[in-house]
Each structure stands twice: as C-alpha cells, then as structure tokens.
Amino acid sequence: MPPDNNTLAATDAPLLPIHRQPGFLSFLLSRLAAVFAMQIQAIVVAWQVYDITRDAMSLAYVGLAQFLPMVILLLPAGDVVDRFPRKRILQLSWAVQGICSALLLLLAQANHGSVIEFYVVLALFGCARAFTGPTLQSMLPNIVPRAQLAQAIALNSSIMKVAVISGPLLGGVLYSVGGGSLAYAVCLGCFIVALALLMLVPVLYVEKAKVLESTAWKRFSAGIRYIRYQPIILGAISLDLFAVLLGGVVALLPIYAQEVLHVGPEGLGALRSAIAVGALLMGLYLGVRGIKRRAGHVMFAAVAVFGLANLVFAFSTLFWVSMIAMLVAGAADMISVYVRTTVIQLATPDEMRGRVNAVNMLFIGSSNELGEFRAGSMAAGFGVVPAAVIGGVGTLAVVGLWMRLFPTLRQVDRFDDAR
C-alpha cells in the first residue's frame, strides 16, 4: 500500500493516553461531523419521501436505493482501501457525499411531487458509502497503538452516538422550521467541516504492505476467503446480519410516529435519538470498563435483549414506553458492535483490513438497508405492527440457532482468543 504523506514509523513511540494519541481527537471530530450530516439527512429524506407518497413501500425503496450500489462496490472498495492511502480515499468519499447533500438541497428547493430523483441521489450516496465504511474501519488501527484499540473502538463508537442522538432531533426540528432545504444545507456544511478536520489526522501505525494477489478477482475475494476460515469472525458478522435484518424497526419509525404514536417529526427524531442515547451510555461504560471475560456469551445475550426490546416497541402504543424500548435496543446493539468490531480488528492483519472490513460492511449494509426493505415491504403487506412483531421473534430465533452453529464464538472468553 503506498504510504500516506503523514505516515511515520511510529511502532516504537511511547504509549500515550488514548486522548493524547496524535490525530485521534481530530479523527473523532471529523467522523462526528460526517455522521451528524448522515443522521440529519437520513431522517429528513425518510420523512420527505413518505410525506410526498404516503406509501410504506417508498421507505423500502429509500433503503434499497442505497444498498444496491453498496453491495456491488464494497468488494472492489476493500481492494482499493488496501492498495491506496486510506485517508485520501476517505476524503474523496466524503466529498461525494457532500455533493449528494447539495443535490438533495436543489431537489428540496424544486418542491415537486416526484421521488425518483431522490432515489437517484441516494444511489450515488450509496456508492460513496461503499468506500467510506471499510476505510473508516481500517483507519482506526492505523491511528492508535494495538494495545489501545479496544478502548479506541468503544470511545469512537460512543462519541459517534452524539451525532446519532442529536442528528435526528435536529433533523426533525430543521425540517419543521425550514423544510428540506435548511436541513440539507446543514448536512453540506457538516461534510465540509469533516473534510477540514481530516486534514489534521496523521496515519502513524501502518504495517509494511505485502505482495497482493495477482488478479483483481483474487484480491476482491481475499476478504471472503479469510473470513470463511475464521469461524469466530464469520459467526459474529453473520449474527449481526440476520438479527438486524429481521429485527430492525428503524424503517418503520416514520409510520409508527404518524399512525401509532401520533407524534410529529420531532417525535420521530426523538425515537431515533433514543436508540443512540442507549448506545452512547453503553459505549461510555465499555470505554471505561470494557468486557474482560465471557465476551461470546455477552454478545449473544445482547442480541437477544435487542430482539426483546424491539418486540416491546412493536406492541407499544405509548410514546414513553416506545422511547424506553428504543433506549434498551440501542444499548444492546452497542455491546454487539463493540464485541464484533474488536474481534475483527484484532484477528485481521493490516494488509487485509480493507478487504475484510469491506465484507463486514457488506454484512452491515445488508442488515441495515435490506432490513429497511424487509420492514417496509412487510408493513405494506401485513401492517406495521405485525411486521415489527415478526422481526423481533425472528431475531430471537437467530440467536438460538447461531449459538448452536458457532460454538467457538459462544466460547470466546477474552478478546485475545480471537487471534
């Protein structure tokens, strides 16, 4: 991999506190700004599209428009991340996402009744996200020492929840005050800030690149082959895939907000933010205490709690009960993310991280985007409450099945076992 201009031979540097590691805070703040933009945009696009169409299937297409480009480009993106400077790739992908925010701003100002143009822009946004995901996952081990990676992952994940909490809330308020135009303008500004802060991040911990496979297909598929023979990694990412694919209710929140709980865009933003509040609190706890023992059992328990919380939300007609259910679901999901991400990063050599993380992001994208399509299409066919209930029950079934299929994941004690 060609070195970044800021790459230094820093393997012998003294171990500083995590917040004093060069570039770590700038990296966190740049990610914070970018995630802030994505969260505002997600809530505003969903609300605006549903407001135009009043059709649950339109929400399914919002997810599908972003997922299809990702599923096509993620494996080639992983190869690019392992061959070229990761910071440059991240800068380009964030720039394209900023352009998408500008295009959505123009569409909002046009104020017509068609949503086709929104889907086209979201497809371009999905193309950029295909490169953003594996790059971000691969960069963190290049910024902090290996000994501090688990702590950095927990702190990084929890700090990002600040944007996930405030982004939907602000998105709902911005849409109420100034419509989509104001919200998309704020998104564009956030991407500009993210790009400026990323310039300050040095990439210090890069291992010497090894000779890559001879053909493009061998390079693209190397991550899949690696994961295939790592049952702990395969079990962790596939558990997340099917649990969120079946159990996620995020795509149904606009319908629940309007037709079940009878709250406006501010209430929708609060529901989205409740998920992030739970994740933030749990992430801060993990950043201080961490998981020392029985990591595999803790992960399975967390996914089961995620499914139960979504079941409570499915049956709830009270706003405060729904808020608590989303809070618990967010906390449980953070535990799963923490375990899965730490296992993958510790078990993967640096020259493979881009491709392995691309496969991981493919699983994550499948669970999130196809989960939105699953939820929206089932809500259109069976009703919103049955769709949410079926998803929660499906998550619990996946937990039980995966405990039998992947005993090595269940038996993981300390994170070092993943090596």
Side-chain angles (χ1 to χ4, degrees):
M1 176 173 32
D4 186 279
N5 291 336
N6 291 324
T7 302
L8 303 174
T11 56
D12 297 326
L15 195 62
L16 299 171
I18 187 66
H19 66 278
R20 294 181 58 192
Q21 287 293 333
F24 181 65
L25 288 180
S26 295
F27 180 72
L28 285 186
L29 291 174
S30 66
R31 282 201 69 182
L32 187 66
V35 175
F36 208 95
M38 287 185 277
Q39 290 299 315
I40 295 174
Q41 185 168 292
I43 199 76
V44 172
V45 166
W47 186 274
Q48 192 168 20
V49 168
Y50 186 69
D51 200 35
I52 293 172
T53 64
R54 295 291 172 174
D55 182 5
M57 280 303 296
S58 66
L59 297 178
Y61 294 137
V62 166
L64 193 63
Q66 298 175 77
F67 171 73
L68 289 179
M70 286 181 60
V71 76
I72 294 171
L73 292 176
L74 264 172
L75 293 182
D79 177 51
V80 170
V81 170
D82 282 338
R83 297 175 63 199
F84 298 97
R86 290 166 180 168
K87 190 167 82 170
R88 302 292 182 261
I89 297 170
L90 186 57
Q91 289 170 328
L92 288 173
S93 60
W94 277 351
V96 172
Q97 290 177 65
I99 292 172
C100 291
S101 295
L103 292 174
L104 290 172
L105 171 60
L106 294 176
L107 290 176
Q109 291 176 337
N111 195 28
H112 53 70
S114 173
V115 295
I116 300 299
E117 293 86 350
F118 285 90
Y119 296 145
V120 173
V121 175
L122 291 175
L124 178 60
F125 192 79
C127 292
R129 284 181 58 193
F131 291 86
T132 302
T135 307
L136 283 171
Q137 294 292 328
S138 302
M139 273 190 67
L140 192 55
N142 299 152
I143 296 172
V144 301
R146 184 183 184 93
Q148 294 178 318
L149 185 57
Q151 182 185 13
I153 288 171
L155 292 174
N156 177 74
S157 298
S158 60
I159 293 299
M160 291 310 104
K161 296 305 177 183
V162 173
V164 180
I165 293 168
S166 53
L169 284 172
L170 181 58
V173 172
L174 290 173
Y175 190 81
S176 297
V177 173
S181 298
L182 178 59
Y184 297 134
V186 172
C187 294
L188 176 59
C190 287
F191 279 120
I192 293 173
V193 171
L195 288 168
L197 289 170
L198 188 60
M199 294 292 294
L200 306 176
V201 179
V203 181
L204 302 178
Y205 301 90
V206 180
E207 298 175 9
K208 184 178 180 180
K210 297 182 180 180
V211 178
L212 295 175
E213 289 77 3
S214 57
T215 66
W217 172 248
K218 287 184 177 180
R219 293 198 308 268
F220 295 169
S221 60
I224 297 175
R225 294 197 304 272
Y226 185 83
I227 292 172
R228 178 184 175 186
Y229 296 105
Q230 297 286 337
I232 292 176
I233 299 178
L234 177 61
I237 63 178
S238 60
L239 173 65
D240 178 81
L241 164 66
F242 288 102
V244 177
L245 174 64
L246 294 174
V249 296
V250 172
L252 302 178
L253 293 183
I255 306 176
Y256 263 90
Q258 293 192 35
E259 300 178 8
V260 178
L261 302 174
H262 306 293
V263 293
E266 297 88 349
L268 172 60
L271 288 170
R272 286 288 295 265
S273 296
I275 303 173
V277 169
L280 171 63
L281 296 177
M282 181 56 67
L284 293 174
Y285 173 81
L286 293 172
V288 175
R289 298 293 298 274
I291 295 175
K292 307 299 182 184
R293 303 294 300 270
R294 299 173 64 85
H297 282 89
V298 170
M299 181 178 183
F300 278 110
V303 178
V305 171
F306 174 79
L308 289 171
N310 285 329
L311 274 177
V312 172
F313 176 84
F315 288 112
S316 172
T317 57
L318 299 174
F319 182 68
W320 67 270
V321 173
S322 300
M323 288 283 290
I324 293 174
M326 291 294 91
L327 187 81
V328 173
D333 186 57
M334 172 57 74
I335 297 174
S336 175
V337 169
Y338 169 78
V339 175
R340 184 185 71 249
T341 305
T342 304
V343 164
I344 292 173
Q345 301 298 351
L346 290 177
T348 306
D350 188 61
E351 72 273 5
M352 285 287 297
R353 281 200 178 103
R355 285 165 289 176
V356 169
N357 282 312
V359 178
N360 183 38
M361 294 305 300
L362 180 61
F363 276 70
I364 294 173
S366 298
S367 62
N368 291 334
E369 311 303 344
L370 286 183
E372 291 186 9
F373 183 78
R374 189 279 311 170
S377 58
M378 289 187 70
F382 306 108
V384 63
V385 175
V389 171
I390 293 171
V393 172
T395 297
L396 296 177
V398 165
V399 171
L401 180 60
W402 256 240
M403 290 183 72
R404 294 180 62 87
L405 292 176
F406 296 94
T408 53
L409 176 60
R410 186 181 72 246
Q411 295 162 5
V412 170
D413 189 18
R414 294 182 173 91
F415 283 122
D416 282 343
D417 295 345
R419 300 185 187 182

